[in-house]
Structures are given as structure tokens and as C-alpha cells.
Amino acid sequence: MIIEIDDQSGFCFGVVKAIQKAESELQEGHPLYCLGDIVHNTSEVRRLEEKGMYTIDYTALHSLNKAKVLFRAHGEPPSTYQLAQQQGLTIVDATCPVVLQLQKSIRNTYKKHRGEARQIVIFGKKGHAEVNGLVGQTEGKAIVIETLEEADLLNYNLPIEVFSQTTKPLADFQRLVAKIKSRMASGVEFLFHDTICRQVALRLPHIAEFARKHDYIFFIAGKKSSNGKALFAECQKANPRSLFISNSSELTLEMLPKISYDKLSIGICGATSTPRYQMEAVKDRILTLVHQKK
């Protein structure tokens, strides 16, 4: 039996940076509060909470005073920074550098065209933490488009400038740009910015190739991970014998294929929010179950 863990799966550098900052702060022995899940992975959140980190929501932030608060890789809108300052909080800013640059670009565009009838469009998931932070750079005036069909709501007689959430599929962004470009009124300005993180975007074609190499795929991710859902969909498209689990304890003998294990090739992969140790644990679990079966 062959079991391969995808070497390109696991934490992206933005998540690695955020977790390193959290662990560094926790080593000092002082309470650390994280605004929202540091990563969409329940096991990793629990691991850090066992080290002393507290995960809070925005309601709790209003009642916190003179404490350290970590802003995760997704980024925050200016209003959150203002609130933290008012509460006398010390910010541990773990915003991903790619997200920070995108926030700056959107903020500069908004300031440059303030008062003009320009539509600043963000291609992303409505309500997602990163998207909320991006919309905040425009004082809430940016238009969020989640699907190609929602582009029909734009006014093609007015200038349009498009940005993208960093983790959106590149092909979907290109389709959106092509649709808007084809419908713009003559002489009306249309600008678009490819702001997709390549480290994340390139995982889609890679994971499809990885899934095709194996008889069966076990994909590990948190149930709240948007990136996980997108990558798993790509796995299933490439290999219908793909199974989504959140941790090794969910894996049972019944989930393993009922064919000769000696001829079996299994691939293990995950999302940008999946730590390597979880994929290793799934491999160990498979070997244990197979040994028990024999």
C-alpha cells in the first residue's frame, strides 16, 4: 500500500506567521486574546487555547480593557483598530502581508475617487473576515460580488474597478473580468487588479493533479474553512473517490476501500488551514486500521 501526504498542502505562510506570533506571545506567560478563530481549524484553535490563548468575538472586544489582542491573518477593517485603541488594547497584528497590501490598494483607490460615481467591486465571499476588512477600507461602500451572476447588478454606464479576495480561484476571477469587460458602455473606464495570492491559487491545479495520482483521497480541513471547501471540490472533480474529514478520529475502517490493501494508493491532502500534524495523524490512523483488519 502506498500512502502519500501532499507536500504542498498545509498552512500558507500567512497562517504560519499568525501562529508563530501567537506562540511567541504565549511564551511570555501573559493572557492573549485572539479576535475570531486564528485559523478555521478546530483542533489547532484548541491546541493554542490549551497554551493560554482566548478566542473572543467582536462583542467581547467591546468589554476588554488593557489586554493584548491578536488580529489574525485575515485582516481587520479600520473600525476594529479604532475600537482597540479606544479600549486601550495592545494589538498583535498578524495580518497576512498579501492582505495588508490589498487593503492599502483598495484604501488608496477609494480615497483617490472619493465622491465620484465609481464602483469599487470586491470579488469575494460575503461576510468572510478578509472581505469585511477590505470593505472597511471604503467605509462600507464597496460592492461585494460572490458569483458571476451577481455582476448583472452593476451599472455598466459608470466606472468600475475590481479587486479580489486573496483566496479566490484565479479562473473564476478571470471569468468575472471577461464578463464585466464585455458589458461596459463605450468609453467608460474599467480597471481590474489580480490580487489573488499565488501560493493559494496554484494549489487548485496542483491538488487536482495530486488527486488523480491516487485511488482514494482523504482531504482534511476544518468545516468552516472556505479554502478547504474550494480545494475539496477540486479534489472530488479530479477523483470522485475523495473523502472530507476534519481530523483522524473521524476515520473508520468502513471508510477505507474494500479492495486489496497491497494494491492501494491513498493520497492525503488538506487546506491552507490544515496543519501538517493532522495529515500525519490521518496516515497513522489508516495504518493502524489496516493492521487491525489484518
Side-chain angles (χ1 to χ4, degrees):
M1 181 171 59
I2 297 171
I3 302 177
E4 181 186 6
I5 297 176
D6 177 28
D7 60 4
Q8 291 189 36
S9 285
F11 289 157
C12 63
F13 78 93
V15 171
V16 169
K17 174 174 169 285
I19 290 174
Q20 287 175 341
K21 282 200 171 188
E23 290 180 326
S24 176
E25 292 292 336
L26 291 168
Q27 285 177 358
E28 295 184 7
H30 303 298
L32 176 67
Y33 299 85
C34 181
L35 186 56
D37 289 343
I38 192 169
V39 62
H40 293 312
N41 185 291
T42 304
S43 298
E44 182 63 10
V45 170
R46 190 180 300 122
R47 183 185 75 85
L48 289 170
E49 287 178 341
E50 288 172 356
K51 289 177 174 286
M53 187 182 77
Y54 301 91
T55 302
I56 61 171
D57 58 18
Y58 290 90
T59 301
L61 188 66
H62 284 80
S63 58
L64 207 59
N65 288 287
K66 296 181 179 177
K68 278 191 175 181
V69 179
L70 185 139
F71 289 178
R72 53 195 176 160
H74 301 87
E76 290 293 331
S79 57
T80 307
Y81 287 86
Q82 292 165 6
L83 175 60
Q85 187 176 23
Q86 291 168 8
Q87 299 290 106
L89 304 176
T90 300
I91 297 172
V92 179
D93 200 338
T95 305
C96 171
V98 177
V99 175
L100 277 175
Q101 183 57 47
L102 174 53
Q103 288 182 345
K104 181 180 177 182
S105 297
I106 291 176
R107 184 166 61 250
N108 289 343
T109 295
Y110 176 68
K111 288 180 178 178
K112 179 180 177 181
H113 299 284
R114 191 194 299 268
E116 299 177 15
R118 172 178 293 262
Q119 299 162 97
I120 297 178
V121 175
I122 296 170
F123 178 49
K125 183 179 179 182
K126 294 171 185 173
H128 188 279
E130 180 189 325
V131 174
N132 290 342
L134 300 178
V135 173
Q137 310 304 317
T138 68
E139 299 179 319
K141 293 182 172 61
I143 302 168
V144 179
I145 287 182
E146 194 165 339
T147 66
L148 201 62
E149 292 72 27
E150 289 177 3
D152 295 335
L153 303 175
L154 298 174
N155 186 338
Y156 292 98
N157 295 307
L158 296 175
I160 295 175
E161 192 157 354
V162 178
F163 298 85
S164 177
Q165 180 182 344
T166 59
T167 54
K168 293 296 284 184
L170 182 58
D172 290 352
F173 176 72
Q174 291 170 337
R175 281 190 282 270
L176 175 67
V177 168
K179 178 173 182 176
I180 295 175
K181 187 181 293 185
S182 70
R183 296 188 58 177
M184 292 298 297
S186 178
V188 178
E189 185 178 40
F190 170 51
L191 298 174
F192 61 92
H193 307 275
D194 178 354
T195 52
I196 293 170
C197 175
R198 287 302 186 270
Q199 189 187 27
V200 175
L202 293 177
R203 291 194 184 192
L204 283 170
H206 167 79
I207 212 161
E209 181 182 348
F210 179 81
R212 283 190 288 267
K213 283 172 54 181
H214 298 282
D215 299 317
Y216 288 83
I217 292 292
F218 288 95
F219 184 92
I220 303 92
K223 291 181 173 64
K224 294 189 287 184
S225 171
S226 298
N227 171 257
K229 291 173 185 175
L231 286 170
F232 179 64
E234 202 68 20
C235 273
Q236 278 196 312
K237 195 188 304 180
N239 185 343
R241 296 184 298 273
S242 298
L243 186 68
F244 186 109
I245 56 176
S246 292
N247 56 67
S248 60
S249 64
E250 295 179 7
L251 186 57
T252 64
L253 188 59
E254 289 71 31
M255 292 178 183
L256 294 176
K258 294 177 173 59
I259 62 175
S260 172
Y261 293 128
D262 294 335
K263 300 177 181 178
L264 193 63
S265 175
I266 293 176
I268 298 172
C269 50
T272 57
S273 54
T274 304
R276 177 80 182 187
Y277 67 78
Q278 282 195 322
M279 292 182 280
E280 295 281 1
V282 170
K283 178 180 179 179
D284 292 343
R285 175 72 173 161
I286 291 172
L287 292 172
T288 298
L289 291 172
V290 170
H291 179 72
Q292 291 175 353
K293 178 69 174 178
K294 291 181 177 180

